[in-house]
Amino acid sequence: MRDWVLHLDLDAFMAAVEILRNPELRGRPVVVGGNGDPTTPRTVVATASYEAREYGVHSGLPMRTALRRCPDAVYLPIDLPAYEAASAAVMTLLHTFPVTVEVWGLDEAFLGARTDDPEALARDIQRAVTHKTGLTCSIGIGDNKHQAKLAAQFEKPSGVSRLTTDTWPHVMGERPTTALWGIGAKTGKKLADLGLRTVAQLAAADPAELAARFGPTNGPWLRYLALGKGESTVTTTPWVPRGHSHETTFTQDLTDPAAMRAHIAALAVRLAAETEGRPVVRVTVKVRSAPFTTHTRQAKLPEPTHDATTIEQAALAVFDRFDHSRPVRLLGVSVEYG
């Protein structure tokens, strides 16, 4: 008996919920995103079924691109209440097993388990999820969250895979650095510019050089990931966000500064109503100008506040520091709690 970390990832979650509600869609390419109209500008795919993924459709892809790649797919709007209900059913079921459950989102959770056969436990969980909810899931097993998260992607859908410290060099060594959880395309390119293209190369890199290039915290952290390390504690304590944000992408660029200010004010008031009693200490405004230039500016408030008017005025004051001469395609406001 020993401690393990499992990562449960519901397969093509939103699309799977839609197929459960509409069984005639089974076996067809299904794409969920935006309002369901793939011709709507500036909307992106939230989830695609595995049949749609065969055409190169994936999460984050513009809906218009998805339509070009897979014109025969069924395109559906996002129905968040339905997904929340399906997710809650799965998470409630997980609590009936001898595991610690740490929910990470609608479609994923980490499980802490003490067992001598984690694969058997994973298969039991998979069968229960499918029997009770009709959904399928993939489960990764590891010594820590990082390993388990990666392992869950190895055999999708409905797979069970194990990745441990012992097997890490053989399994991960020659994979690109972007295969690591937390390293995206931009960081991967910067690492490649340093000659660090594989996980093994990053694991062998000089921490001092990484710190000089990426900062004293982020640099060594990248090597930490490449060594297969990560947090191994699974906790039931709910994660409390340090802040909250809302943003709007416009189907047609805004050119009227007054209309822009009205949108900023509305976003700020909405955030003020969602603080759940936590005082706001900082306000940040994001502006994306055409064609795709994004800038953010922020201001620390004189004192922590719950007052909607104060938060709104602060957001507008920050917005007024931007150049308003260019058309705007996105506006966003975020708040940081004290």
Side-chain angles (χ1 to χ4, degrees), residues 276-305:
E276 297 182 352
R278 302 180 65 188
V280 172
V281 298
R282 191 183 308 272
V283 174
T284 301
V285 173
K286 177 165 72 172
V287 176
R288 179 169 295 153
S289 303
F292 208 83
T293 304
T294 305
H295 296 284
T296 61
R297 290 186 170 85
Q298 61 181 224
K300 184 176 181 180
L301 300 182
E303 59 183 20
T305 184

Side-chain angles (χ1 to χ4, degrees), residues 14-33:
M14 294 181 186
V17 173
E18 297 294 347
I19 292 168
L20 281 176
R21 298 200 294 178
N22 303 279
E24 68 275 10
L25 299 179
R26 191 170 303 280
R28 299 181 61 183
V30 175
V31 179
V32 178

Side-chain angles (χ1 to χ4, degrees), residues 17 22 43 53 62 67 76 200 220 242 248 251-252 310 325 335:
V17 173
N22 303 279
T43 55
R53 296 181 193 190
L67 181 61
L76 298 172
R242 294 183 59 187
T248 302
T251 55
Q252 294 185 339
T310 301
S325 63
V335 295

Side-chain angles (χ1 to χ4, degrees), residues 97-270:
F97 285 85
V99 296
T100 302
V101 181
E102 184 174 340
V103 178
W104 268 59
L106 288 176
D107 61 348
E108 62 178 324
F110 284 104
L111 311 175
R114 186 167 183 82
T115 176
D116 58 1
D117 193 345
E119 279 83 4
L121 173 61
R123 291 296 183 193
D124 287 344
I125 292 172
Q126 286 181 321
R127 284 190 290 268
V129 168
T130 301
H131 176 69
K132 294 291 187 180
T133 71
L135 299 169
T136 67
C137 61
S138 298
I139 297 179
I141 302 165
D143 298 327
N144 56 52
K145 290 179 178 177
H146 185 200
Q147 295 170 359
K149 172 84 170 179
L150 297 182
Q153 307 304 311
F154 288 168
E155 295 184 28
K156 292 185 71 70
S158 302
V160 173
S161 301
R162 184 191 294 201
L163 176 63
T164 66
T165 303
D166 291 338
T167 62
W168 179 271
H170 172 71
V171 175
M172 297 297 300
E174 296 308 310
R175 298 190 184 215
T177 58
T178 51
L180 298 172
W181 181 28
I183 296 185
K186 290 183 179 180
T187 301
K189 185 180 184 305
K190 292 177 182 179
L191 289 168
D193 291 342
L194 298 177
L196 306 175
R197 294 177 173 80
T198 69
V199 172
Q201 289 171 335
L202 178 56
D206 183 347
E209 292 184 6
L210 291 172
R213 178 66 179 83
F214 296 97
T217 299
N218 288 338
W221 176 75
L222 295 174
R223 182 171 178 268
Y224 177 86
L225 293 179
L227 291 170
K229 297 181 179 181
E231 183 183 8
S232 59
T233 301
V234 178
T235 176
T236 58
T237 303
W239 177 71
V240 179
R242 294 183 59 187
H244 194 37
S245 66
H246 286 301
E247 60 185 38
T248 302
T249 300
F250 304 102
T251 55
Q252 294 185 339
D253 294 339
L254 288 185
T255 57
D256 181 4
M260 299 178 198
R261 285 177 57 85
H263 279 285
I264 291 293
L267 291 172
V269 170
R270 179 181 173 188

